[in-house]
Amino acid sequence: MKNPFFLILMMISCTLSNAYFTHYSQERERKRGLISGIILTVAGLGYSTFQTMFIIRKVTKEIYKAKNT
């Protein structure tokens, strides 16, 4: 890594902006923040589950091919 300063600066700015917008939206519409959080959580769980299933199928096929050759 060439210069970790910019990476750290970017992480700090993203964290601060995320905290500001999350706080602002929860202050303004608490219900909307809660619903969007639930939707994002369910979508993330679904995505990771399907991604894991895809990886397991590919690895299983590769192992089966290796055994049969």
Side-chain angles (χ1 to χ4, degrees):
M1 190 175 285
K2 292 180 182 180
N3 193 354
F5 175 73
F6 292 111
L7 178 65
I8 293 170
L9 184 65
M10 185 184 300
M11 288 171 57
I12 290 171
S13 64
C14 288
T15 303
L16 290 176
S17 66
N18 187 20
Y20 172 75
F21 286 120
T22 302
H23 180 71
Y24 178 73
S25 71
Q26 285 181 355
E27 233 178 59
R28 188 172 167 167
E29 295 181 29
R30 182 168 232 135
K31 188 176 182 180
R32 180 178 156 203
L34 181 64
I35 290 172
S36 67
I38 291 171
I39 290 171
L40 287 172
T41 301
V42 171
L45 286 172
Y47 174 76
S48 64
T49 301
F50 287 120
Q51 186 179 26
T52 304
M53 288 171 47
F54 178 76
I55 290 170
I56 290 172
R57 285 183 186 157
K58 287 291 184 181
V59 169
T60 305
K61 285 181 183 178
E62 291 295 323
I63 291 172
Y64 183 73
K65 277 185 190 178
K67 284 184 179 179
N68 289 335
T69 55

